[in-house]
Amino acid sequence: MEQIAGRPNALTDKEFHYCPGCTHGIVHRLVAEVIDELGVQEEAIGVAPVGCAVLAYEYFDVDMHEAAHGRAPAVATGVKRVHPDKVVFTYQGDGDFASIGTAESVHAASRGEEITAIFINNAIYGMTGGQMAPTTLEGQKTTTSPYGRDVDHAGHPIKMSEMLATLEGAAYVARVSVDSPKNIKKAKKAIKKAFEVQLAGEGFALVEVLSTCPTNWGLSPLEAIDWLQENMLPYYPLGEIKSKEEDK
Ligand SMILES: Cc1ncc(C[n+]2csc(CCOP(=O)(O)OP(=O)(O)O)c2C)c(N)n1
Ligand code: SF4
């Protein structure tokens, strides 16, 4: 019988350690499917973050490099400059990409490094127990904002995609979500484009993925999807924010 669905080649057989309902696993799968479809498994080099996806190097069946917290874009820069023929990507949470690693993210985008960044925005620090992240929404309760994020005190949640899209070196920036089958399909399309932009040597490519953290949001997996739809989608609009193709 013809097999029409299966595990992507670019994923190992290792079972994910993620909590039930966590969408990190969906995004891993999408990245792996794109690597398969582009036929770049041998050329791909991923850079794993610190955060819940710290073990990404065990899941992607490609060459992987671990980076210190937030430093993935700097590590990816070095890897890509030494191996310009390789397909280099980072996989990072919002604490990693938008907090401790802000400088690395901004400057890699500004320099137009030909790397692909996959940025998981779950509005919280997952691994360390649910502290406030730069992406935490106004009023959102976390362990370090038990009364809800007060923007007068903690500032407003950062829209990384809009901010990085202003930089000349950023060739492709999109925000997607994995809250529904329709949006998962769109997310895959954007991830594929972000890899194609790198293959075409156009510059820095970023895909921000709105994601769930049921454990630290204190919700069931289904409630977490509802929460994402009701609270994150209005503040973080989906779509391509920058695409050089459209400028032509
Ligand atoms: C230099 C350094 N500072 C702090 C930490 C602690 N730490 C580990 S993961 C993490 C936050 C991870 O959150 P995020 O990047 O949003 O990823 P998630 O776990 O939500 O996927 C922090 C602060 C660390 N490992 N190294
Ligand atoms: S703590 Fe949150 S982000 Fe981490 S694996 Fe669990 S649900 Fe996913």
Side-chain angles (χ1 to χ4, degrees), residues 31-183:
V31 172
E33 285 181 358
V34 165
I35 289 171
D36 281 6
E37 286 173 22
L38 294 174
V40 294
Q41 190 177 358
E42 289 303 313
E43 290 77 40
I45 302 177
V47 183
V50 169
C52 282
V54 64
L55 298 178
Y57 52 77
E58 301 227 329
Y59 303 140
F60 288 110
D61 199 1
V62 302
D63 285 340
M64 294 291 294
H65 197 307
E66 178 59 66
H69 202 13
R71 263 85 251 193
V75 172
T77 295
V79 172
K80 182 72 183 187
R81 288 189 179 201
V82 172
H83 298 288
D85 52 326
K86 299 292 182 189
V87 180
V88 182
F89 69 97
T90 71
Y91 185 102
Q92 305 173 257
D94 40 15
D96 199 77
F97 188 81
S99 184
I100 194 169
T102 319
E104 283 76 6
S105 306
V106 169
H107 289 284
S110 170
R111 293 190 306 266
E113 298 297 341
E114 290 166 12
I115 59 175
T116 300
I118 308 296
F119 161 44
I120 307 301
N121 177 358
N122 59 13
I124 209 157
Y125 283 13
M127 185 196 217
T128 39
Q131 295 84 0
M132 181 168 58
T135 46
T136 295
L137 294 171
E138 182 172 358
Q140 184 183 338
K141 288 186 179 158
T142 69
T143 52
T144 48
S145 58
Y147 304 111
R149 182 181 186 142
D150 173 0
V151 295
D152 291 334
H153 177 69
H156 293 268
I158 301 180
K159 293 179 177 170
M160 285 301 281
S161 290
E162 284 81 350
M163 186 171 91
L164 296 184
T166 65
L167 301 172
E168 286 303 317
Y172 181 73
V173 181
R175 183 183 291 114
V176 298
S177 173
V178 286
D179 62 293
S180 66
K182 187 173 131 214
N183 279 341

